[in-house]
Amino acid sequence: MNGKELEVGATTLAALLDELDYRDVVVATALNQNFVRAVDRYETLLEAGDAVEILTPKQGG
Amino acid sequence: MQDGLSVYGTQLSSRLLVGTAQYPSPAILSGAIKASGAEVVTVSLRREAGGSRAGESFWTLIRELGVKVLPNTAGCRTVKEAVTTAQMAREVFATSWIKLEVIGEDDTLQPDVFGLVEAAGILARDGFQVFPYMTEDLVVAEKLLGAGCEVLMPWGAPIGSGRGLNNRFGLEALRKHFPEVPLVVDAGIGTPSHAAAAMELGYDGVLINTAIAKSGDPVTIARAFALAVDAGRLAYGADPIMPRDMAEPSTPQLGRAFVDLSHA
Protein backbone atom coordinates (compact mmCIF):
# COMPACT_ATOMS: atom_id res chain seq x y z
CA MET A 1 0.00 0.00 0.00
CA ASN A 2 1.40 3.38 -1.06
CA GLY A 3 4.67 1.74 -2.00
CA LYS A 4 5.11 -0.29 1.18
CA GLU A 5 4.55 -3.98 1.70
CA LEU A 6 1.71 -4.67 4.08
CA GLU A 7 0.07 -7.81 5.42
CA VAL A 8 -3.65 -7.29 5.76
CA GLY A 9 -6.73 -9.39 6.37
CA ALA A 10 -9.00 -7.40 4.08
CA THR A 11 -10.15 -9.08 0.89
CA THR A 12 -11.78 -6.03 -0.70
CA LEU A 13 -10.59 -2.47 -1.19
CA ALA A 14 -13.41 -1.15 1.00
CA ALA A 15 -12.41 -3.52 3.80
CA LEU A 16 -8.79 -2.43 3.44
CA LEU A 17 -9.77 1.22 3.96
CA ASP A 18 -11.62 0.22 7.11
CA GLU A 19 -8.70 -1.84 8.34
CA LEU A 20 -6.28 1.07 7.81
CA ASP A 21 -8.56 3.57 9.56
CA TYR A 22 -9.59 5.49 6.44
CA ARG A 23 -13.28 4.86 7.04
CA ASP A 24 -14.30 8.52 7.41
CA VAL A 25 -11.45 10.14 5.49
CA VAL A 26 -11.80 11.64 2.01
CA VAL A 27 -9.49 9.53 -0.14
CA ALA A 28 -9.06 8.43 -3.72
CA THR A 29 -8.00 4.91 -4.55
CA ALA A 30 -6.17 3.09 -7.30
CA LEU A 31 -5.41 -0.58 -7.73
CA ASN A 32 -2.40 -1.55 -9.82
CA GLN A 33 -2.30 2.00 -11.25
CA ASN A 34 -5.95 1.92 -12.28
CA PHE A 35 -8.42 4.31 -10.67
CA VAL A 36 -11.10 2.64 -8.53
CA ARG A 37 -14.21 4.71 -7.91
CA ALA A 38 -15.52 4.93 -4.36
CA VAL A 39 -18.68 3.09 -5.34
CA ASP A 40 -16.66 0.20 -6.74
CA ARG A 41 -14.50 -0.41 -3.68
CA TYR A 42 -16.85 -2.99 -2.18
CA GLU A 43 -16.65 -5.21 -5.25
CA THR A 44 -12.93 -4.70 -5.81
CA LEU A 45 -11.22 -7.87 -4.64
CA LEU A 46 -7.62 -7.81 -3.46
CA GLU A 47 -5.00 -10.42 -4.24
CA ALA A 48 -1.51 -10.98 -2.90
CA GLY A 49 0.93 -8.61 -4.55
CA ASP A 50 -1.64 -6.00 -5.54
CA ALA A 51 -0.43 -2.40 -5.47
CA VAL A 52 -2.94 -0.13 -3.75
CA GLU A 53 -2.68 3.66 -3.74
CA ILE A 54 -4.64 5.69 -1.21
CA LEU A 55 -4.34 9.43 -1.80
CA THR A 56 -5.71 12.41 0.11
CA PRO A 57 -5.97 16.15 -0.64
CA LYS A 58 -2.68 17.97 -0.27
CA GLN A 59 -1.14 21.33 -1.00
CA GLY A 60 -0.22 21.73 -4.65
CA GLY A 61 1.28 24.21 -7.06
CA MET B 1 -9.85 47.35 -18.32
CA GLN B 2 -10.62 45.45 -15.12
CA ASP B 3 -12.32 42.69 -17.03
CA GLY B 4 -12.60 39.09 -16.03
CA LEU B 5 -11.16 35.85 -17.28
CA SER B 6 -13.38 33.15 -18.76
CA VAL B 7 -12.16 29.54 -18.71
CA TYR B 8 -14.28 26.57 -19.73
CA GLY B 9 -17.40 28.67 -19.33
CA THR B 10 -16.50 29.88 -15.84
CA GLN B 11 -16.14 33.62 -15.37
CA LEU B 12 -13.44 34.74 -12.94
CA SER B 13 -12.95 38.31 -11.79
CA SER B 14 -9.31 37.73 -10.77
CA ARG B 15 -6.64 36.86 -13.31
CA LEU B 16 -4.26 35.62 -10.61
CA LEU B 17 -4.29 31.91 -9.83
CA VAL B 18 -2.43 30.78 -6.73
CA GLY B 19 -0.79 27.54 -5.65
CA THR B 20 -1.22 26.21 -2.12
CA ALA B 21 2.12 24.46 -1.53
CA GLN B 22 5.14 25.35 0.63
CA TYR B 23 3.55 27.97 2.92
CA PRO B 24 5.00 28.35 6.42
CA SER B 25 1.63 27.63 8.03
CA PRO B 26 -2.04 27.07 7.18
CA ALA B 27 -2.83 30.53 8.58
CA ILE B 28 -0.32 32.20 6.26
CA LEU B 29 -1.63 30.15 3.33
CA SER B 30 -5.13 31.32 4.12
CA GLY B 31 -4.03 34.95 4.54
CA ALA B 32 -2.07 34.93 1.29
CA ILE B 33 -4.96 33.53 -0.73
CA LYS B 34 -7.29 36.16 0.69
CA ALA B 35 -4.77 38.95 0.03
CA SER B 36 -4.25 37.74 -3.54
CA GLY B 37 -7.93 37.96 -4.38
CA ALA B 38 -7.51 34.71 -6.30
CA GLU B 39 -10.64 32.73 -7.02
CA VAL B 40 -8.77 29.64 -8.19
CA VAL B 41 -6.15 27.74 -6.20
CA THR B 42 -4.23 24.66 -7.21
CA VAL B 43 -4.31 21.55 -5.07
CA SER B 44 -2.91 18.06 -5.30
CA LEU B 45 -3.25 14.47 -4.12
CA ARG B 46 -0.58 12.68 -2.18
CA ARG B 47 -0.03 9.59 -0.09
CA GLU B 48 -0.80 10.02 3.57
CA ALA B 49 0.20 7.87 6.51
CA GLY B 50 -2.88 6.27 8.04
CA GLY B 51 -4.41 8.24 10.88
CA SER B 52 -2.62 11.60 10.43
CA ARG B 53 -5.55 13.21 8.62
CA ALA B 54 -3.46 16.18 7.49
CA GLY B 55 -5.15 16.00 4.12
CA GLU B 56 -8.54 16.30 5.68
CA SER B 57 -7.66 19.48 7.60
CA PHE B 58 -6.08 21.01 4.51
CA TRP B 59 -9.16 20.26 2.43
CA THR B 60 -11.39 21.76 5.13
CA LEU B 61 -9.30 24.96 5.09
CA ILE B 62 -9.58 25.29 1.32
CA ARG B 63 -13.32 24.70 1.33
CA GLU B 64 -13.77 27.36 4.00
CA LEU B 65 -12.02 29.88 1.73
CA GLY B 66 -14.77 29.42 -0.83
CA VAL B 67 -12.38 29.30 -3.79
CA LYS B 68 -12.51 27.10 -6.86
CA VAL B 69 -9.91 24.34 -6.91
CA LEU B 70 -7.73 23.32 -9.82
CA PRO B 71 -6.26 19.91 -8.98
CA ASN B 72 -2.91 19.08 -10.54
CA THR B 73 -1.06 15.97 -11.60
CA ALA B 74 2.24 17.30 -10.26
CA GLY B 75 5.08 14.83 -10.25
CA CYS B 76 3.52 12.50 -12.82
CA ARG B 77 6.01 11.28 -15.39
CA THR B 78 3.92 9.02 -17.57
CA VAL B 79 0.61 9.33 -19.36
CA LYS B 80 -0.80 6.49 -17.28
CA GLU B 81 0.19 8.14 -13.99
CA ALA B 82 -1.25 11.48 -15.05
CA VAL B 83 -4.53 10.03 -16.28
CA THR B 84 -5.04 7.91 -13.15
CA THR B 85 -4.16 10.83 -10.88
CA ALA B 86 -6.60 13.07 -12.75
CA GLN B 87 -9.36 10.51 -12.35
CA MET B 88 -8.65 10.26 -8.62
CA ALA B 89 -8.59 14.06 -8.29
CA ARG B 90 -11.92 14.44 -10.07
CA GLU B 91 -13.59 12.21 -7.52
CA VAL B 92 -11.99 13.74 -4.42
CA PHE B 93 -12.26 17.40 -5.42
CA ALA B 94 -15.55 17.07 -7.31
CA THR B 95 -14.36 19.03 -10.33
CA SER B 96 -13.57 18.19 -13.93
CA TRP B 97 -10.84 20.80 -14.04
CA ILE B 98 -7.33 19.36 -14.09
CA LYS B 99 -3.97 21.09 -14.32
CA LEU B 100 -2.19 18.48 -16.38
CA GLU B 101 1.50 17.97 -15.72
CA VAL B 102 3.53 15.26 -17.39
CA ILE B 103 7.10 15.93 -16.40
CA GLY B 104 9.84 14.91 -18.81
CA GLU B 105 13.07 16.15 -17.30
CA ASP B 106 14.12 16.25 -13.66
CA ASP B 107 16.49 19.24 -13.58
CA THR B 108 14.14 21.70 -15.26
CA LEU B 109 10.81 19.96 -14.63
CA GLN B 110 10.21 20.57 -18.32
CA PRO B 111 6.97 19.08 -19.60
CA ASP B 112 7.12 15.90 -21.68
CA VAL B 113 5.09 17.48 -24.45
CA PHE B 114 4.47 14.20 -26.27
CA GLY B 115 2.99 12.59 -23.17
CA LEU B 116 1.16 15.81 -22.37
CA VAL B 117 -0.68 15.85 -25.70
CA GLU B 118 -1.54 12.15 -25.41
CA ALA B 119 -2.83 12.52 -21.83
CA ALA B 120 -4.76 15.67 -22.70
CA GLY B 121 -6.59 13.83 -25.46
CA ILE B 122 -7.49 10.91 -23.19
CA LEU B 123 -8.73 13.20 -20.44
CA ALA B 124 -10.68 15.51 -22.74
CA ARG B 125 -12.49 12.52 -24.22
CA ASP B 126 -13.30 11.45 -20.65
CA GLY B 127 -14.98 14.80 -19.92
CA PHE B 128 -12.10 16.61 -18.23
CA GLN B 129 -11.46 20.30 -18.74
CA VAL B 130 -7.71 20.31 -19.12
CA PHE B 131 -5.28 23.10 -18.20
CA PRO B 132 -2.02 21.82 -19.69
CA TYR B 133 1.32 22.90 -18.21
CA MET B 134 3.39 23.22 -21.38
CA THR B 135 6.33 24.89 -23.04
CA GLU B 136 5.68 27.89 -25.26
CA ASP B 137 6.05 25.74 -28.40
CA LEU B 138 3.54 26.71 -31.11
CA VAL B 139 3.24 23.21 -32.52
CA VAL B 140 2.57 21.72 -29.11
CA ALA B 141 -0.05 24.41 -28.55
CA GLU B 142 -1.79 23.47 -31.78
CA LYS B 143 -1.77 19.78 -30.83
CA LEU B 144 -3.16 20.51 -27.37
CA LEU B 145 -5.98 22.59 -28.81
CA GLY B 146 -6.70 19.78 -31.24
CA ALA B 147 -6.78 17.35 -28.32
CA GLY B 148 -9.57 19.37 -26.72
CA CYS B 149 -7.82 21.90 -24.47
CA GLU B 150 -9.50 25.30 -24.31
CA VAL B 151 -6.84 26.90 -22.11
CA LEU B 152 -3.06 26.78 -22.46
CA MET B 153 -0.55 27.29 -19.64
CA PRO B 154 2.98 27.83 -20.95
CA TRP B 155 5.83 28.08 -18.50
CA GLY B 156 7.63 31.37 -17.98
CA ALA B 157 10.67 29.57 -16.57
CA PRO B 158 11.30 26.30 -14.71
CA ILE B 159 8.99 25.64 -11.75
CA GLY B 160 10.18 27.38 -8.60
CA SER B 161 13.08 29.15 -10.33
CA GLY B 162 11.68 32.68 -10.10
CA ARG B 163 13.47 33.58 -13.32
CA GLY B 164 10.47 35.27 -14.89
CA LEU B 165 9.76 35.14 -18.62
CA ASN B 166 12.72 33.22 -20.03
CA ASN B 167 11.51 33.26 -23.62
CA ARG B 168 9.61 36.47 -24.09
CA PHE B 169 9.74 36.11 -27.87
CA GLY B 170 8.18 32.65 -27.70
CA LEU B 171 5.45 33.81 -25.34
CA GLU B 172 4.68 36.78 -27.60
CA ALA B 173 4.50 34.47 -30.62
CA LEU B 174 2.11 32.16 -28.79
CA ARG B 175 -0.11 35.09 -27.90
CA LYS B 176 -0.17 36.33 -31.49
CA HIS B 177 -0.86 32.90 -32.98
CA PHE B 178 -3.77 32.14 -30.66
CA PRO B 179 -5.46 35.46 -29.94
CA GLU B 180 -8.73 33.90 -28.80
CA VAL B 181 -7.35 31.17 -26.54
CA PRO B 182 -7.05 31.92 -22.80
CA LEU B 183 -3.32 31.83 -22.03
CA VAL B 184 -1.99 31.66 -18.49
CA VAL B 185 1.71 31.83 -17.65
CA ASP B 186 2.35 28.97 -15.26
CA ALA B 187 5.67 28.55 -13.47
CA GLY B 188 8.81 30.60 -13.13
CA ILE B 189 7.37 33.94 -12.10
CA GLY B 190 9.43 35.35 -9.24
CA THR B 191 8.41 38.95 -8.69
CA PRO B 192 5.35 41.13 -9.26
CA SER B 193 7.15 42.83 -12.16
CA HIS B 194 7.37 39.45 -13.92
CA ALA B 195 3.63 39.03 -13.49
CA ALA B 196 2.98 42.52 -14.81
CA ALA B 197 5.22 41.80 -17.81
CA ALA B 198 3.24 38.66 -18.64
CA MET B 199 0.01 40.61 -18.49
CA GLU B 200 1.47 43.41 -20.61
CA LEU B 201 2.17 40.79 -23.30
CA GLY B 202 -1.55 40.14 -23.41
CA TYR B 203 -1.59 37.01 -21.31
CA ASP B 204 -4.92 36.31 -19.71
CA GLY B 205 -3.59 35.31 -16.31
CA VAL B 206 -0.69 34.04 -14.25
CA LEU B 207 -0.39 31.12 -11.87
CA ILE B 208 2.00 31.66 -8.97
CA ASN B 209 3.00 29.50 -6.04
CA THR B 210 6.63 29.52 -4.94
CA ALA B 211 7.12 33.27 -5.35
CA ILE B 212 4.38 33.86 -2.83
CA ALA B 213 4.80 30.92 -0.48
CA LYS B 214 8.60 31.17 -0.11
CA SER B 215 8.82 34.94 0.18
CA GLY B 216 9.60 36.59 3.48
CA ASP B 217 6.05 37.89 3.75
CA PRO B 218 3.64 35.77 1.70
CA VAL B 219 0.54 37.77 2.60
CA THR B 220 2.04 41.11 1.53
CA ILE B 221 3.58 39.82 -1.66
CA ALA B 222 0.32 38.09 -2.57
CA ARG B 223 -1.29 41.52 -2.52
CA ALA B 224 1.61 42.92 -4.56
CA PHE B 225 1.07 40.20 -7.18
CA ALA B 226 -2.62 41.02 -7.33
CA LEU B 227 -1.83 44.69 -7.97
CA ALA B 228 0.81 43.79 -10.56
CA VAL B 229 -1.60 41.56 -12.48
CA ASP B 230 -4.18 44.35 -12.53
CA ALA B 231 -1.56 46.92 -13.55
CA GLY B 232 -0.26 44.72 -16.36
CA ARG B 233 -3.74 44.04 -17.65
CA LEU B 234 -4.62 47.73 -17.57
CA ALA B 235 -1.42 48.58 -19.42
CA TYR B 236 -2.08 45.96 -22.10
CA GLY B 237 -5.46 47.51 -22.80
CA ALA B 238 -4.01 51.01 -22.93
CA ASP B 239 -1.82 50.42 -26.00
CA PRO B 240 1.63 51.15 -24.51
CA ILE B 241 4.25 52.93 -26.62
CA MET B 242 6.84 50.93 -28.52
CA PRO B 243 10.50 51.18 -27.46
CA ARG B 244 12.82 53.36 -29.58
CA ASP B 245 16.56 53.23 -30.12
CA MET B 246 17.06 57.00 -29.95
CA ALA B 247 15.86 59.72 -27.61
CA GLU B 248 12.84 61.81 -28.41
CA PRO B 249 12.15 64.96 -26.36
CA SER B 250 9.07 64.67 -24.25
CA THR B 251 8.94 68.44 -23.67
CA PRO B 252 7.87 70.47 -26.74
CA GLN B 253 10.79 72.25 -28.47
CA LEU B 254 8.68 75.04 -29.95
CA GLY B 255 8.87 78.21 -27.83
CA ARG B 256 11.83 77.09 -25.76
CA ALA B 257 13.80 80.05 -24.31
CA PHE B 258 17.29 80.73 -25.72
CA VAL B 259 16.64 78.15 -28.40
CA ASP B 260 18.63 79.93 -31.11
CA LEU B 261 20.94 82.23 -29.07
CA SER B 262 24.01 79.99 -29.24
CA HIS B 263 23.87 80.13 -32.99
CA ALA B 264 23.20 83.89 -33.25
Side-chain angles (χ1 to χ4, degrees), chain A residues 22 33-34 38 53 58 60-61, chain B residues 20 47-48 72 80 84 91:
Chain A
Y22 283 108
Q33 294 195 26
N34 294 307
E53 291 288 337
K58 280 289 167 66
Chain B
T20 59
R47 292 167 171 173
E48 180 174 272
N72 69 24
K80 175 72 173 169
T84 301
E91 181 178 75

Side-chain angles (χ1 to χ4, degrees), chain A residues 2-3 21-22 24-30 33-35 37-38 41 53-61, chain B residues 19-21 42-50 53 55-56 58 72 80 84 87-88 91-93 99 209:
Chain A
N2 286 354
D21 197 25
Y22 283 108
D24 303 317
V25 184
V26 176
V27 296
T29 51
Q33 294 195 26
N34 294 307
F35 171 55
R37 300 182 304 164
R41 290 173 190 156
E53 291 288 337
I54 302 173
L55 304 186
T56 66
K58 280 289 167 66
Q59 296 87 344
Chain B
T20 59
T42 53
V43 294
S44 193
L45 283 175
R46 285 290 181 270
R47 292 167 171 173
E48 180 174 272
R53 306 211 166 192
E56 196 171 47
F58 166 71
N72 69 24
K80 175 72 173 169
T84 301
Q87 292 168 329
M88 297 168 88
E91 181 178 75
V92 165
F93 295 112
K99 177 185 159 183
N209 191 159

Side-chain angles (χ1 to χ4, degrees), chain B residues 55-66:
Chain B
E56 196 171 47
S57 61
F58 166 71
W59 186 216
T60 299
L61 182 153
I62 295 300
R63 278 182 297 187
E64 286 174 352
L65 287 168

